[in-house]
Amino acid sequence: MQKYLKLTFGAMAIISCLSACSSADSTAVEDTPSPVTPVQITNPKDSSLSEYVELSAVSAYLEKSFVKANINGYVERVNAKTGQQVGNGQLLFTLITKEARSIGNTVNKLDPGFKFSGVSNIRSGQAGTIIQVNHQNGDYVQDGEALATISNRNSLVFLLDLPYELNQIIAQNKSLDILLPDGTRLAGSVSGTMPSVDSLAQTQRYIIKVPTGKDIPQGLIARVRLTKLSHAQAQVLPKSAVLSNETEDEFWVMKMINDSTAIKVKVKKGIESSSLVEVIEPRFSTTDRIIKTGNYGIADTARVKIQQ
C-alpha cells in the first residue's frame, strides 16, 4: 500500500511540473513582441510631370542644285571637288568651245581686236556642299549637261518616321529637341509631312526643320523626344514608394497612421518618369507620411520604426 502511495505522489508531481512548464512556455510566447521594420518616409508633392516617346530621325538635304554646262565644248579647268564647301557665285568650271579650241588662236592672230576666246566660266548658283563631280579636265560636254551637284546647306532637315497611331501627338510637339550622337542638341520645328504612309511599317514621314549653323552630314541618325502626355500639377511620389503585384495590375503604398504603424492604401497610377510616379487616386495630403524604403514585403498594419 505504501508503494502505491509513493507512485501516486510521484505521478502527481510530474503532471504538476509539466503543467507549470507548459504555462511558462505559453506566457513566453505571448510575451514575444512582433518584429519592427525600420523604414524611411516621404511626403506627396505636386510637380509637373511628362511622359515621352523617343524616336529616330535621319538628316537630309531636301534641295540640290545642278551645275550645268551652257555651251558645247571641252572642260578646260575644274575648281570643284567632292565634299568642298562653296559659296554663291564661286567659279567651279571653265569650258571652251570646240571651235575656239581649234581656230580661236588663229582668229586672234588675224585680228587681235576681235578678242575671240570661246571660253565660258561656270559658277555655283547657291552656297552649299559639292556632293558629286561628273566631269574632269578634257571631257567633252554638251549644253545643259550636269557638271556637278551641290546640296543646299540651308535645306537641312531631319526626317522622322512616326508610327501612325502616334500622329495625334504631333499637334503638341510643333517645337522639339533633336539630340545628335555627339551630344549636340538642336531646336527643331515640324514644318510639314508627306501625304502617304509606309504600307509595311505603317509610319508617316514628318519634316523637322533645324538651324543651319552647324555642318551636319546627310544620313546622320539622331534622337527625337516627343511629349505624349503632360500634367502641370501632378501628385507625385518616389518610384520606390509605389508597390505592385506580380502582374502589375494592382498598386498600393504603405501609409503611416501613427509613429509606429503603417497601413496598405491602394492607389491608381498615372504618368511615370525615371524617378517619380504620379498618383491619381486617392488624393493625399502634403503632410501624409508614405514609406519609401523598407516597405517591400511588409503586411497591412505592420509595425515599423521611422529612421532618418
Side-chain angles (χ1 to χ4, degrees):
M1 183 67 179
Q2 188 176 2
K3 181 179 180 181
Y4 289 122
L5 287 174
K6 288 182 180 180
L7 290 174
T8 300
F9 284 126
M12 291 178 65
I14 292 173
I15 292 172
S16 177
C17 180
L18 290 174
S19 177
C21 291
S22 176
S23 177
D25 291 342
S26 177
T27 302
V29 171
E30 290 177 357
D31 292 342
T32 303
S34 58
V36 177
T37 305
V39 298
Q40 291 182 333
I41 61 172
T42 186
N43 303 109
K45 298 178 181 178
D46 288 339
S47 175
S48 60
L49 201 62
S50 299
E51 183 178 355
Y52 300 96
V53 57
E54 280 196 353
L55 299 170
S56 297
V58 182
S59 63
Y61 289 90
L62 294 185
E63 298 177 8
K64 296 179 177 65
S65 65
F66 297 94
V67 180
K68 296 183 178 181
N70 57 4
I71 60 173
N72 294 330
Y74 296 92
V75 178
E76 191 174 53
R77 185 180 303 164
V78 178
N79 297 325
K81 296 180 180 179
T82 302
Q84 179 182 352
Q85 300 287 333
V86 297
N88 185 19
Q90 184 173 332
L91 178 62
L92 298 180
F93 295 90
T94 300
L95 306 181
I96 185 170
T97 63
K98 59 182 180 180
E99 294 82 7
R101 184 179 241 192
S102 58
I103 66 172
N105 291 333
T106 303
V107 172
N108 288 332
K109 288 179 181 180
L110 294 175
D111 186 2
F114 190 68
K115 296 181 180 181
F116 176 78
S117 67
V119 174
S120 177
N121 293 322
I122 309 298
R123 301 179 183 275
S124 60
Q126 63 180 13
T129 304
I130 298 176
I131 60 175
Q132 186 175 356
V133 177
N134 300 328
H135 290 283
Q136 299 298 326
N137 287 344
D139 289 354
Y140 180 79
V141 295
Q142 296 183 350
D143 185 12
E145 187 173 348
L147 303 176
T149 305
I150 299 176
S151 64
N152 182 0
R153 68 179 60 170
N154 295 324
S155 67
L156 173 66
V157 298
F158 279 84
L159 302 177
L160 171 67
D161 291 325
L162 183 70
Y164 190 76
E165 62 266 21
L166 298 178
N167 68 342
Q168 70 277 4
I169 71 175
I170 282 293
Q172 59 186 1
N173 287 276
K174 291 299 184 181
S175 298
L176 41 81
D177 289 336
I178 297 176
L179 184 63
L180 303 185
D182 63 355
T184 303
R185 191 178 298 272
L186 300 177
S189 60
V190 179
S191 63
T193 182
M194 301 299 182
S196 60
V197 173
D198 186 289
S199 59
L200 295 178
Q202 288 297 289
T203 55
Q204 188 171 10
R205 176 161 291 184
Y206 286 84
I207 301 171
I208 303 174
K209 188 72 175 175
V210 295
T212 57
K214 182 178 177 64
D215 291 329
I216 297 175
Q218 182 164 304
L220 181 68
I221 298 178
R223 288 186 295 156
V224 177
R225 174 180 284 189
L226 301 176
T227 302
K228 289 182 64 177
L229 193 61
S230 181
H231 291 163
Q233 293 292 326
Q235 177 183 239
V236 298
L237 285 169
K239 224 173 183 180
S240 60
V242 181
L243 305 172
S244 68
N245 58 5
E246 292 181 355
T247 56
E248 295 189 354
D249 57 1
E250 183 179 332
F251 303 92
W252 67 89
V253 299
M254 298 303 295
K255 175 185 174 183
M256 301 292 297
I257 58 173
N258 54 41
D259 291 337
S260 60
T261 307
I263 61 171
K264 178 179 179 181
V265 179
K266 291 185 178 181
V267 298
K268 182 179 180 182
K269 190 171 72 168
I271 300 175
E272 184 175 346
S273 70
S274 59
S275 60
L276 298 175
V277 175
E278 179 189 17
V279 176
I280 300 176
E281 295 178 358
R283 188 72 186 179
F284 293 111
S285 169
T286 55
T287 58
D288 285 338
R289 296 177 295 176
I290 308 297
I291 299 178
K292 66 176 181 178
T293 59
N295 53 357
Y296 183 77
I298 63 176
D300 194 6
T301 66
R303 293 189 61 194
V304 296
K305 181 180 179 180
I306 300 175
Q307 293 183 331
Q308 298 299 324

